[in-house]
Each structure stands twice: as C-alpha cells, then as structure tokens.
Amino acid sequence: MTTQHKKFHKALRYGTGAAGTLKLDLYRPDNPQQAPVLIYLHGGAWITGLRDETPKRLRNLAAHGIAVASIDYDVVQDAAFPAQLSNIKDALAWVTAHADEYNLDPQRVALGGASAGGHLATISALLLTENGASDEIDAATRIGAIVALFTNFDLTSARPKPVHDSGFTVPAFIANSPVPAYFGGLPPTPAFRQALLAGVSEEELNDEILSKLSPIHRLHTNTPPMLIMHGTADGVAPVAQSMNFHDRAQRLGLQAELRLLEGANHEGPEFDTPETAEYIADFLTHAMPAASPNDHCLQPTTSHK
C-alpha cells in the first residue's frame, strides 16, 4: 500500500466518546521507515484541554523520529474512568488499522501525556499490561513504553500536595484559564474532580478508591519501561510526585528513568524544546527497538543510557 507523505494530519476520527466523535492529530516523521508511535494525552485537570494545545512539543517529537497521535478523550464531567481507558483502546485499534496507510509500527506503541493526561496514560498502560493482559488490546499492537510529564501519580490523601509558601506559583495561563460551564464558573476542588474521575460522590470518595486510580499503587512486574519528566519548580503537581513514583518503581526492580528539568514549572517551555524532544525520542527508540527485517519476534527491551 502506498503510504501518506504529508507529515501532519489533523482531526482524524478514531472513535466515539461520551460527548460524541473523538479525533486525533497525527504528527509523522519525514522518513521512509515505519515509525514508533506515541499516543499522547493532553493535560487539563481531567476536565478541560485540547489535543492541539502543545503543537511545538509534538512536532519536535516527530522531527526526532516519533509519530505522535494526540487524542481527544472524555473529560470526567462527561464520563468517569475507565471511559478514558476505552478511548485509549480505540486509539490503539486505530493505530493498528491504519499502520500501513500512515507508515506506523503497531509493534512499537507508547502511551504518554502531560499532567492529567500523563496520569490517564500511565494508569491505562498499567491496567493494559497487568498480568500480561494482551486480550485487552489487538494482538498486533503492543504497549512498549510510558512517558509521563509533570504527572500526579498518587491521588490518595497521603500524596504530595502544592505548598502555598514554597515560592512555586501556578502559571498564569492555568490560573486564568476558563472553567467549563459544567462547574458554573467556579473552579472545582481537587476532591470534586477526583470524585468525578472515580464516578462517585465526594462523600463516597476514600483512599481505597483513590489508591486504585493511583499509578504509584498499581505498578507491577509487567510494567513497560517508563520515562518520568518533571520540573523542579512545578507549582501545580509537586516534583515529589515523580520522585516518589520513580523511587517505588526502582524498589520494584522496574525500568524507570527520572529526568528533572531544573527551574521548570508546570507546562513550562522547557518541555517544548528540541533537546527535550530528542531526549524523549532517544528513550523511546531504546525502549522499543525496531525488529530486524528477518525477525518477526519482538526484540528484548534494552536499557536507555
């Protein structure tokens, strides 16, 4: 089949969510080889955000050899988790179905995202790979890695929380962003958002429920290689979230790499540089090596240096 040569494909339909059609934007490398794929989920506190809000970040990844499918997904006021897991399964199926058309490698697919999107990508990847749960997705598609940017990995009451007198501030564009109409113009509390994510009332919300939704409590021996990136001056998601998650992964003997960006805030420009994209791309190409032309089996994962 003749492959597409355009490098950017906007608003490709991939599934249906609680509020209607779900679309993705596909950023493709300019090379003839099948490209590894990163299915990317945007941030937005689970309640807002757009798949095209960080185009520089995603274009830079494509420029370094990674195809990026940036997807719409259900916000929690429309549907509680695991609706977002179902969205990701549909995106995985789309990659498999359109691999030849867009020159994608369905054997090298990573899940990733930023902030709330990083949380959803990580918890979904863990659930999809737990106990070798290959029946959850098309056998032709493999989740080979996780990339999480400035993510909250622990949602329980024991989680690291922002400290008001730390000197770290919420970026103005986040503080001034409009609140979805569902919330009546008032920013929802973290507990309200967590309750919507869990599909329970605030009164019913407890640490047992939140633990099941927290990646730090769902790590397992089949966890794919992980790249965790966080700014040291994050005023929204404390850097301790990533440090604690990485420490736990290390104690479990998992392949996890922590990359701290000195002085970077939540969604800081440091995450949109060519150097950051190169680092992520290098991690993904090491974590998901291409099979040789004569080898139809997946090669073992190698360590990223």
Side-chain angles (χ1 to χ4, degrees):
M1 179 181 293
T2 301
T3 58
Q4 300 275 351
H5 293 289
K6 189 169 67 170
K7 290 189 287 184
F8 177 62
H9 308 266
K10 185 175 179 62
L12 301 174
R13 177 175 177 172
Y14 81 87
T16 303
T21 298
L22 296 171
K23 297 179 181 179
L24 63 82
D25 292 342
L26 181 65
Y27 301 77
R28 296 177 56 246
D30 188 16
N31 61 53
Q33 291 80 29
Q34 276 195 323
V37 184
L38 174 64
I39 294 177
Y40 182 88
L41 282 71
H42 61 77
W46 306 309
I47 63 172
T48 188
L50 299 168
R51 68 176 187 272
D52 60 354
E53 63 188 15
T54 56
K56 185 176 180 181
R57 181 179 306 163
L58 308 184
R59 290 184 189 278
N60 282 340
L61 284 167
H64 285 89
I66 306 299
V68 183
S70 183
I71 68 171
D72 294 333
Y73 59 86
D74 285 318
V75 290
V76 292
Q77 59 267 34
D78 289 339
F81 193 83
Q84 298 76 21
L85 173 60
S86 295
N87 302 156
I88 289 172
K89 289 180 187 178
D90 287 345
L92 288 164
W94 186 92
V95 168
T96 298
H98 296 273
D100 289 342
E101 182 179 1
Y102 293 107
N103 214 19
L104 310 174
D105 188 346
Q107 292 287 330
R108 292 188 291 158
V109 180
L111 297 186
S115 194
H119 164 264
L120 291 171
T122 304
I123 192 69
S124 296
L126 293 173
L127 292 173
L128 288 171
T129 56
E130 192 172 25
N131 299 320
S134 58
D135 58 326
E136 289 284 344
I137 55 177
D138 191 296
T141 305
R142 172 180 181 263
I143 299 173
I146 298 168
V147 177
L149 311 180
F150 40 93
T151 292
N152 282 314
F153 297 103
D154 186 356
L155 307 184
T156 69
S157 60
R159 70 187 183 275
K161 305 175 186 69
V163 178
H164 295 298
D165 59 356
S166 66
F168 301 150
T169 59
V170 177
F173 78 93
I174 294 178
N176 299 328
S177 60
V179 178
Y182 177 92
F183 301 100
L186 297 174
T189 63
F192 188 16
R193 291 188 288 105
Q194 289 177 335
L196 289 172
L197 175 72
V200 300
S201 68
E202 283 190 71
E203 293 71 27
E204 295 172 295
L205 194 65
N206 57 46
D207 275 345
E208 182 180 358
I209 291 171
L210 292 172
S211 180
K212 292 178 180 177
L213 292 168
S214 297
I216 196 168
H217 299 297
R218 302 303 299 263
L219 292 166
H220 53 74
T221 56
N222 291 321
T223 297
M226 297 181 291
L227 175 60
I228 306 151
M229 303 187 79
H230 216 121
T232 61
D234 196 310
V236 177
V239 67
Q241 282 274 357
S242 284
M243 296 172 71
N244 292 351
F245 183 68
H246 177 256
D247 286 348
R248 182 165 178 79
Q250 292 278 288
R251 289 197 302 271
L252 293 173
L254 303 176
Q255 185 180 333
E257 182 171 345
L258 176 63
R259 175 79 165 182
L260 299 181
L261 276 63
E262 188 65 33
N265 201 344
H266 207 73
E267 282 286 8
E270 295 88 346
F271 293 95
D272 295 333
T273 66
E275 292 77 17
T276 296
E278 183 179 14
Y279 195 91
I280 296 172
D282 187 48
F283 167 81
L284 289 173
T285 53
H286 282 82
M288 304 188 298
S292 65
N294 297 322
D295 183 7
H296 298 292
C297 298
L298 291 174
Q299 295 180 6
T301 301
T302 59
S303 297
H304 177 56
K305 303 294 185 184

